[in-house]
Amino acid sequence: MVNQRNILVVLHTGRQDSVDAAVRVCAQLREADVNAVIAPQELDDVGAYPEQLAGMPVLGVDVDMADLELVIVLGGDGTILRAAELVRGSAVPLLGVNLGHVGFLAESEREDLTETVRRALALDYHVEERMTLSVRVKVDSEVVYETWALNEATVEKASRERMLEVVMEVDGRPLSSFGCDGVVMSTPTGSTAYAFSAGGPIVWPSLDALLMVPLSPHALFARPLVVGPDSALAVEVLPRTQGTGVLWCDGRRTHDLPLGARVVVRRSPTPVRLARLHLGPFSDRLVGKFNLPVTGWRGPASRD
């Protein structure tokens, strides 16, 4: 059918609450005569699903990526990152329903599921673009691995007992070298993820910037850095010790780093598009997600 609407439903197949939510979402989509599409990566688990999820059209087999209207993601931030990987390179937006803990990338909570789907069906949302990272690994000037990240690209030590010796670089110039557990190179979206846990700054997602945050550095100067969006960040694994490294991107894609390897990170030309239901300021999201104490605030006497 030429005008058939298609919405991809991505769920955490190992969580019963996510499967239950998928049953509700698919039923609501079918009532509106909208195709609820499943990703091929989840097809093997269909046999374990309730019968209400059987017979869903499969992405790439029955429905092309270009024909997707929206992706509804049921889970935590990890599930949203997986969904972003599934539709990488397309313009389809992601609408996250948080079934996890903090869920910074999600737009609604499990108790709002029915209303969330209703608004999705009514196209009652706006789309926000989030910066992503282009990541390259070079060995002897040869590119041996390329990938991307929405949250962060992290160079980490490969073995627990051995410190990783690195040099940090911005725009082709060295800043400092030291032993550490690793270095996080992050987007503003990732500033509330791994970079936050490592003591990095929280950066509003509306700001175009790149972050560099050392992990447990053994150095006098190893401060978190915030640089412009057109800068190039790099971390080189030094051969001072036999400590090798490993690259992790969004905790999903990984590559081993031998001595002398360089990881170069730049802004990617391909953003991730998030469907938003709420237009409130990011400060309200911070307060809500982290349960920050704001009792006693009376607000400004006049608007600044």
Side-chain angles (χ1 to χ4, degrees), residues 110-126:
R110 69 180 74 211
E111 58 269 20
D112 303 319
L113 182 59
T114 300
E115 176 64 10
T116 297
V117 177
R118 186 198 68 77
R119 291 186 62 178
L121 290 169
L123 303 179
D124 183 16
Y125 55 82
H126 74 282

Side-chain angles (χ1 to χ4, degrees), residues 1 14 33 45 83 124 132 149-151 168 184 186 205 224 231 246 284:
M1 188 176 298
D33 196 27
D45 295 322
D124 183 16
T132 64
L150 170 58
N151 273 351
M168 296 197 318
V184 179
S186 165
S231 287
V246 59
D284 289 353

Side-chain angles (χ1 to χ4, degrees), residues 166-170 173-178 219-223 225 234 236 238 240:
V166 302
V167 58
M168 296 197 318
E169 174 190 299
V170 176
R173 301 301 302 164
L175 282 180
S176 185
S177 64
F178 43 76
L220 291 176
F221 178 81
R223 296 294 185 183
L225 304 175
E236 186 169 328
L238 299 177
R240 291 176 181 169

